[in-house]
Amino acid sequence: MTDIDIVIIGGGPAGLAAAVAAREAGCDRLLLFERDEVLGGILPQCIHTGFGLHVFQEELTGPEYAQRFIDRVHALEIPVQCGTTVLDVTRDRVVTAVSPMCGLRQFRAKAIVLAMGCRERTRGALMIPGWRPAGVYTAGLAQRWVNREGWMPGRRVVILGSGDIGLIMARRMMFEGAKVLACVELMPYSSGLTRNVVQCLDDYDIPLMLSHTVTDIHGRERVEGVTVAQVDAQRMPVPGTEQRFDCDTLLLSVGLIPENELSKAAGVELAEATAGPVVDESLQTSVSGIFACGNVLHVHDLVDEVTRESAQAGRAAAAFARSAAGLPPPALRVRDGAGVRGVVPQAICAERVAEDVSLMFRPTAVFKDATAAVKIDRVEVARQRFRILTPGEMVKLTLPKGLFARFKGACELTVEVTE
Amino acid sequence: MSAQTITCIGCPMGCRLRVLIAGGQVASVDGAGCGRGAVYARQECVCPTRMVTSLVRVQGRHAPLSVKTARPVPKEKIFACLQSIRAARVTPPVRIGDVIVADVCGTGVDVVATMACTEGDS
Ligand SMILES: Cc1cc2nc3c(=O)[nH]c(=O)nc-3n(C[C@H](O)[C@H](O)[C@H](O)COP(=O)(O)OP(=O)(O)OC[C@H]3O[C@@H](n4cnc5c(N)ncnc54)[C@H](O)[C@@H]3O)c2cc1C
Ligand code: SF4
């Protein structure tokens, strides 16, 4: 068993930013584990532009954005072990890792940063009837095959779900010579950015079929087609609206699920709304000394936001590793009010707030001319107006750290959205 | 005089803009929820441009290398650009920013690498 200050699990943008920030905060002995052979998480396969507008004020591709942080990690001489999978984390912060090179090893860490990202929701979670022929893949898997490994999953494609990954893949498949027949979305609105709907679908005359779903998949060995039907207000297929598309591939872009098996093993409490750990304003989970950031905490739209959040987790972990002092439990509970789902953090310790507090959440539906308001024990402390809020875009409200001095001993903070 | 309907990408409102074009110029924009709509319509209806990102083959390897146009190119040239990108072959080493196709399709824009690859990688 090796003693170490901080172990960071995951080498995506979250883990990289946490590592850089922890080192810059003065932590000497830290170690980052990544199970893939390369660093960068999901970014090396996101070859389109749209990363870094906030962090670097320029529009980079995924691989370029990742490389900037990989270069920082190398310049700061942060030890990184790729091809290494973390198998277990315990409450008392023992990390078990395995790699072909070093076999099974254990580390006792003063602090741990969970940065394992998320995985894609699959067809099993969706319950489409039919056989299980080849040709049904998640959009992110197809993205990896095309962009990193250089092979095409199919030639005639239907996409189920209008999340950004699905939209981006629609264009990518067109660029590689495939025909994309339709993008089918259950909800009456797209869950992706307007920019992606326009530049990935409209530009290439790919129809976006809102309030529709795939009701059947045809073919036994290989997909031969799918049936698409309109849905009613209860999201049930409307009989008589079925139409068949002949295709060899169905891509699923139906959501992401934070990857929290390790968190559960460590006894970290998870929140129902985010499927990620319950954290306080320093991004510490319910287990003292274990922090979480990036997509493992809650699914982000923008990598820039992942970087900001994860740097904070890195600084907090460094501070914890240095003092290891037992912190007071956070007393201020954060609650989802009307129209709001999944506020992070879920608790705040008003006595020790060290940085401005960003409250991040998604609205439960589309709201036009909306107002988001924050109340602490019924006193309104912040209010912001928005022309539009949609579940496809995370909302962030930042409260200055000085504010909390007035609310020592307060019990409840509520965020709500009204039209 | 011609009319066109486009979706503004300025924010999630996604306003449907009805644009009248006369003599190659935008004559009027209807339906914008704010000032940015007209600015977008003027660009998008007169000379729409896009960043193009794609992949090139690396000599002797299966895994491709990612590239982008250094600046946006005219929208109607997207598929022509993709074709010359597809025809290109690179030999390692390649650094981020290296020019892979110079002045692609006479646009005056270079296609550059967005990923590095060294001689040792596979
Ligand atoms: C398929 C997909 C496509 C996306 N496309 C876009 C896009 O086009 N544009 C955009 O802005 N955002 C996109 N996102 C979101 C964006 O990529 C994320 O905001 C960002 O990558 C999240 O960073 P992360 O570090 O939290 O997670 P990730 O990038 O997922 O990194 C997590 C890392 O942890 C590693 N890991 C997990 N478990 C272990 C373990 N037990 N041991 C060791 N290592 C482990 C994984 O291998 C991975 O490298 C996409 C997300 C996904 C899942
Ligand atoms: S016109 Fe203004 S309000 Fe409408 S989509 Fe564009 S930026 Fe948003």
Side-chain angles (χ1 to χ4, degrees), chain A residues 32 50 71 76 82 112 127 129 132 158 166 216 238 240 245 255 278 281 318 341-342 357 392 406:
Chain A
L32 184 150
D71 289 346
L76 291 167
C82 287
I112 294 172
M127 309 206 295
R132 263 61 186 144
V158 169
D216 207 353
V238 178
F245 289 92
V278 168
E281 84 292 344
R341 190 165 160 82
V357 177
R406 278 163 45 208

Side-chain angles (χ1 to χ4, degrees), chain A residues 69-149:
Chain A
F69 283 91
I70 296 169
D71 289 346
R72 298 276 302 137
V73 163
H74 292 322
L76 291 167
E77 297 179 355
I78 296 169
V80 168
Q81 296 185 3
C82 287
T84 305
T85 302
V86 173
L87 297 177
D88 188 42
V89 176
T90 67
R91 262 191 104 75
D92 46 6
R93 301 192 295 271
V94 173
V95 175
T96 309
V98 67
S99 72
M101 287 271 286
C102 307
L104 198 71
R105 287 167 303 158
Q106 287 200 316
F107 301 83
R108 188 190 307 279
K110 288 182 184 158
I112 294 172
V113 179
L114 305 173
M116 289 91 73
C118 55
R119 61 165 181 270
E120 295 178 276
R121 189 163 288 149
T122 56
R123 182 183 174 193
L126 280 172
M127 309 206 295
I128 305 171
W131 294 88
R132 263 61 186 144
V136 182
Y137 311 108
T138 59
L141 181 64
Q143 190 181 45
R144 185 180 167 109
W145 283 340
V146 175
N147 293 348
R148 274 187 69 183
E149 289 162 31

